[in-house]
């Protein structure tokens, strides 16, 4: 039985991610979506919110699980007894980093393979950061994320606007916070 881990920040999950999850779920017996907790950049959504959104939009896939993790991806992969790490490649710009990660992970645990799924052409330009930035400037993100996620994104941005107006410095939302 082949189990794959599909790791990422998913801040928020987009149709590009979902396309990879759907295709991976056809290839592997089980796909574990690993939601990274320890991000260097401040996320728009905390990991519980990201996990909740992903669970909602993959609920019809019986062989997909959503789990958060922190620390090294390769250790998480071993913990959940997965054989394969799945990553998506959108453009040549993704490739250099992904190759370095795959080779590092292979060095650490030679029995875990990294497999790349080429993006579907219609999602090749799509990233979570594009969605966040569009939404912050009141752009329409309907073509890029499921309805449930769209509502959560606009709610979150409203929340941040309210905290900015009330001058609460606890606001963690950073405009244009990093590309991904
Ligand atoms: P990370 O911070 O680990 O890159 P992301 O959530 O940005 O996390 O992406 C997770 C994975 O999904 C990465 O392998 C990324 O290349 C892939 N991915 C992101 N957007 C798309 C897309 N539109 N099409 C295909 N793969 C994608």
């Amino acid at each position: 039985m082949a189990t794959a881990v599909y790791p990422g920040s998913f801040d928020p999950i987009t149709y590009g991610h979902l396309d990879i999850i759907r295709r991976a779920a056809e290839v592997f017996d089980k796909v574990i979506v690993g939601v990274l907790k320890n991000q260097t950049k401040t996320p728009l959504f905390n990991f519980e919110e990201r996990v909740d959104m992903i669970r909602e939009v993959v609920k019809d896939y019986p062989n997909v699980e959503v789990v958060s993790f922190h620390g090294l991806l390769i250790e998480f992969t071993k913990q959940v007894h997965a054989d394969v790490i799945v990553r998506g490649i959108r453009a040549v710009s993704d490739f250099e980093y992904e190759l370095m990660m795959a080779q590092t992970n292979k060095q650490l645990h030679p029995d875990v393979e990294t497999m790349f799924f080429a993006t579907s052409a219609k999602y090749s330009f799509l990233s979570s950061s594009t969605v966040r930035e569009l939404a912050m400037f009141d752009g329409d993100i309907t073509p890029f994320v499921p309805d449930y996620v769209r509502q959560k994104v606009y709610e979150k941005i409203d929340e941040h606007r309210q905290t900015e107006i009330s001058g609460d410095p606890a606001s963690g939302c950073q405009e244009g916070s990093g590309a991904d």
Side-chain angles (χ1 to χ4, degrees), residues 6-10 16-17 20 87-88 90 98 119 123 126 180:
Y6 177 42
S9 319
F10 307 106
H17 295 125
I20 302 288
R87 296 284 287 174
R90 281 163 293 191
E98 295 294 345
T119 184
Y123 302 129
L126 180 53
D180 50 21

Side-chain angles (χ1 to χ4, degrees), residues 4 33 77 127:
V33 180
T77 307
S127 68

Side-chain angles (χ1 to χ4, degrees), residues 68-92:
S68 63
F69 74 100
H70 62 92
L72 284 183
L73 166 63
I74 195 73
E75 296 307 330
F76 171 67
T77 307
K78 297 301 282 184
Q79 263 168 33
V80 295
H81 306 292
D83 323 280
V84 172
I85 295 169
V86 162
R87 296 284 287 174
I89 297 270
R90 281 163 293 191
V92 179

Side-chain angles (χ1 to χ4, degrees), residues 57-115:
V57 298
V58 302
K59 65 180 184 221
D60 293 332
Y61 301 138
N63 60 337
V64 176
E65 266 177 38
V66 187
V67 178
S68 63
F69 74 100
H70 62 92
L72 284 183
L73 166 63
I74 195 73
E75 296 307 330
F76 171 67
T77 307
K78 297 301 282 184
Q79 263 168 33
V80 295
H81 306 292
D83 323 280
V84 172
I85 295 169
V86 162
R87 296 284 287 174
I89 297 270
R90 281 163 293 191
V92 179
S93 50
D94 280 339
F95 186 73
E96 203 174 329
Y97 173 75
E98 295 294 345
L99 185 65
M100 184 192 73
M101 289 302 298
Q103 287 172 339
T104 306
N105 287 331
K106 188 79 180 163
Q107 189 82 25
L108 294 172
H109 277 292
D111 49 335
V112 174
E113 289 294 342
T114 300
M115 297 180 72

